[in-house]
Amino acid sequence: MTTHEYTAGPTPPPGAAPAGTGPEPSGPEFSGRPSGPGSSGPEPSGPVEPYGPEPSGRAGASASPEVPVPAAVSAPAEAAGAGKPGRDRYLDLLRSIALVRVIVYHLFGWAWLSVLFPSMGVMFALAGSLMARSLSRPAGSVIRGRVRRLLPPLWAFGAVVLVLMFSGGWNPARDPDTGGGVWGVADVLNYLLPVGAPPYPAHLGSGSGLLDPTWAEQAAGPLWYLRAYLWFVVASPLLLRAFRRVPWATLLAPLALTAVVGTGLVTLPGETGNAVTDFAVYGGCWVLGFAHHDGMLAKVPRYLAISGSTAVMAFALWWASGHLGPEGWDLNDIPLADALWSFGFVVILLQYSPSWRELPGRLARWDKAVTLSNNRAVTIYLWHNMLIMATFPIVDRMYDLPFMDGDGATAALDATYTLWTFVLVWPLTALAVLAFGWIEDLAAKRAPRLWPDGPARGTSRGGHRSPSRAPSRSGHRA
């Protein structure tokens, strides 16, 4: 049974054998889903947590009239304001690493990446921490805000994918892989609201076409993460209440559930089983985000947290050694090992959380890239598999260049085929950010920006408006 990450890799041309080219499930094994290594992510953030400061108070709250403040009063006020929480750059850095790891994993299909850095668990934990912070406000408004930020980018992606699938001759009412009939058509609505698994044809087109016949499968594969994220968001008010009443039971319950549904002890059929397994595998990491926000992890002695996490992770590797899947040590194929390894890994990361307001030292050179990836996390996650697929026909054109007539040149390109796809996916990602990323701004009710690699105009790094760009007296937020 597979529990995350898809590998987007069509079959290369004759002679070229790029690694990780088979389809890769990004959620648990399912009928009609891609099979193969991985399926993360967003790896979606918890696809992925929207970037930007959390709104304070109700939307549209009127700003106070501009009244002169005595210097004796303004100084303490400024000092207090300086201590307000802003973006935690350590968490932003973790999210960026997770996104890059997802792309690399889906391109190369290296099983050991699931051990080196369990991106999905990290992203769900970060999203859980931010969700706990947001739930200081009314739960209904928080859930609506999260759903509003998620859906418009999904609609744009779904519109492109569905148009391509329909133009390729796919008919969900007649597709035996999706069940067909009325339910096959109804499932298309999951491209609008991802409460279930969106349908797609297992094969579309031909091997001689522009895209590999599995492109639709690869494009829709990572959408499992959005479904899991949506259900975590909806369940968070109850989960957070349970965590604050019985923290240890709530924290460990998902691991116990994984031991039941992720080991074959109890088997739930179809997409219901996939959804429950996803929820169980990553539920512990989501609740760890609650523990991080509430300061529970900080109260546990570090030596105890690290030694306990090490023991849990050692058990995860032991379990994995006896339940290796088709990709060997790919934890995405081994739910219980994935849940335990991700849980222990996240505990260690959050125990050492330094809460940076700025990236320190040499990490500062990556500040713009980290900011951009966090601002466009949903866009990057949604489109990355499609972009990987798009690199293959581009590399294929290189075989037609005049200097590629010799056997030596062809052999060299064969040997570096996947490396070229790795090089090409990043400019294609930049194009996707430019073309679709601004939708994330509209969904978050922000002014759209094409390349948000720094604070918005008039906003400080911490996410608070500078005095020179304070909200107008009319009560509308800029």
Side-chain angles (χ1 to χ4, degrees), residues 276-465:
V276 171
T277 303
D278 288 339
F279 196 90
V281 169
Y282 300 111
C285 292
W286 187 275
V287 179
L288 275 176
F290 294 169
H292 173 259
H293 172 269
D294 285 7
M296 174 182 169
L297 288 180
K299 296 177 182 178
V300 179
R302 179 168 292 178
Y303 77 90
L304 186 60
I306 301 305
S307 59
S309 297
T310 302
V312 168
M313 295 168 72
F315 180 83
L317 294 181
W318 173 82
W319 179 267
S321 68
H323 299 81
L324 298 180
E327 301 300 325
W329 282 87
D330 193 331
L331 299 186
N332 297 305
D333 297 330
I334 314 168
L336 182 59
D338 192 13
L340 294 172
W341 182 264
S342 298
F343 187 91
F345 199 95
V346 166
V347 168
I348 293 174
L349 287 180
L350 296 184
Q351 266 285 333
Y352 283 95
S353 179
S355 297
W356 295 324
R357 295 299 297 273
E358 302 288 345
L359 293 176
R362 294 183 178 180
L363 290 175
R365 71 182 66 177
W366 299 100
D367 182 81
K368 289 183 178 294
V370 169
T371 300
L372 178 67
S373 64
N374 277 266
N375 270 315
R376 294 295 180 255
V378 177
T379 299
I380 294 171
Y381 182 81
L382 280 172
W383 289 93
H384 78 274
N385 255 20
M386 278 284 285
L387 299 176
I388 291 173
M389 300 293 289
T391 64
F392 286 89
I394 296 175
V395 178
D396 289 347
R397 300 286 75 80
M398 296 173 65
Y399 285 94
D400 299 329
L401 295 174
F403 56 82
M404 294 297 297
D405 291 338
D407 292 340
T410 300
L413 183 54
D414 290 347
T416 58
Y417 194 98
T418 307
L419 178 61
W420 282 107
T421 64
F422 175 78
V423 171
L424 288 170
V425 75
W426 305 110
L428 291 179
T429 300
L431 290 176
V433 166
L434 292 172
F436 302 103
W438 54 271
I439 298 174
E440 291 193 54
D441 292 327
L442 295 182
K445 296 185 177 181
R446 297 191 297 261
R449 293 194 289 163
L450 289 179
W451 197 256
D453 61 352
R457 182 182 302 176
T459 304
S460 67
R461 166 62 68 192
H464 303 289
R465 291 215 159 264

Side-chain angles (χ1 to χ4, degrees), residues 204-272:
L204 189 65
S206 64
S208 60
L210 182 62
L211 291 176
D212 185 85
T214 64
W215 75 264
E217 181 178 65
Q218 301 294 341
L223 296 184
W224 75 272
Y225 177 83
L226 274 69
R227 176 187 66 186
Y229 175 77
L230 179 63
W231 283 114
F232 276 125
V233 165
V234 172
S236 281
L238 290 177
L239 282 176
L240 185 59
R241 185 180 304 174
F243 171 74
R244 288 172 176 169
R245 291 185 177 181
V246 282
W248 287 106
T250 307
L251 190 62
L252 299 178
L255 299 180
L257 180 60
T258 305
V260 174
V261 300
T263 61
L265 186 63
V266 173
T267 301
L268 300 178
E271 282 303 319
T272 299

Side-chain angles (χ1 to χ4, degrees), residues 30-75:
F30 61 96
S31 173
R33 265 188 178 177
S35 62
S39 84
S40 48
E43 283 198 15
S45 149
V48 183
E49 190 67 19
Y51 186 84
E54 289 291 334
S56 57
R58 59 185 177 87
S62 299
S64 301
E66 296 176 2
V67 179
V69 180
V73 177
S74 62

Side-chain angles (χ1 to χ4, degrees), residues 30-128:
F30 61 96
S31 173
R33 265 188 178 177
S35 62
S39 84
S40 48
E43 283 198 15
S45 149
V48 183
E49 190 67 19
Y51 186 84
E54 289 291 334
S56 57
R58 59 185 177 87
S62 299
S64 301
E66 296 176 2
V67 179
V69 180
V73 177
S74 62
E78 290 176 4
K84 292 181 179 179
R87 295 296 307 185
D88 187 330
R89 300 299 280 169
Y90 175 72
L91 301 186
D92 289 346
L93 178 64
L94 291 180
R95 185 178 294 108
S96 297
I97 294 173
L99 280 171
V100 171
R101 207 286 274 158
V102 169
I103 296 173
V104 173
Y105 175 88
H106 289 169
L107 177 58
F108 293 100
W110 293 330
W112 53 268
L113 285 174
S114 65
V115 178
L116 178 66
F117 194 89
S119 288
M120 298 315 300
V122 171
M123 292 168 70
F124 278 116
L126 300 181

